[in-house]
Amino acid sequence: MRKFIVTIEGKSYEVGVEEVGATESVSKVAAPVPAVQPAAKAASAPQSENGEKLLSPFPGLIKKFLVEEGASVKKDQPVLILEAMKMDNDITSPCDGKISFKTVVGNNVETNTVLAVIG
């Protein structure tokens, strides 16, 4: 068996792959390499001096706001609809607070675009 380090989306995994039909001279395995430990995860959303940022989890189209600008929202409350690949996705608040949208309906956004700040 040979061991490899595979990195997927910034996380490293150590995997073993069995060689099929290997001869003895080929089946020698080097000393295992320790897997790189992933960096500590950040908070669910970055903090800013004015509140917690709500980031787009993927690219899409801002289809509809579900709450008014300046409204009080609760953690996990749906606040807007982001359309991606012809599917509507509810985007929820990461915390309690008042919402301030940083985009408008009809905008196309990329992953990690600031959609709103809740403070």
Side-chain angles (χ1 to χ4, degrees):
M1 180 169 311
R2 295 189 68 187
K3 294 189 179 192
F4 296 91
I5 304 285
V6 179
T7 303
I8 301 172
E9 294 183 359
K11 293 183 182 177
S12 294
Y13 303 91
E14 184 174 336
V15 295
V17 179
E18 185 175 328
E19 294 183 49
V20 178
T23 64
E24 264 200 49
S25 62
V26 176
S27 63
K28 291 183 181 177
V29 178
V33 178
V36 177
Q37 297 299 319
K41 288 190 175 184
S44 61
Q47 292 283 339
S48 77
E49 60 278 351
N50 297 332
E52 194 164 339
K53 294 178 184 175
L54 172 61
L55 303 178
S56 178
F58 42 77
L61 171 74
I62 304 297
K63 193 165 182 185
K64 180 179 179 182
F65 291 147
L66 300 175
V67 296
E68 296 289 322
E69 174 74 21
S72 291
V73 295
K74 298 285 184 189
K75 181 177 171 57
D76 297 325
Q77 176 183 347
V79 295
L80 64 88
I81 296 175
L82 181 64
E83 181 184 292
M85 297 175 56
K86 306 284 184 197
M87 293 181 63
D88 290 349
N89 300 278
D90 288 345
I91 305 302
T92 60
S93 174
C95 62
D96 293 354
K98 290 192 186 259
I99 192 162
S100 174
F101 290 106
K102 302 301 179 188
T103 188
V104 295
V105 172
N107 269 5
N108 283 307
V109 296
E110 296 298 323
T111 303
N112 292 328
T113 299
V114 177
L115 303 175
V117 175
I118 293 102

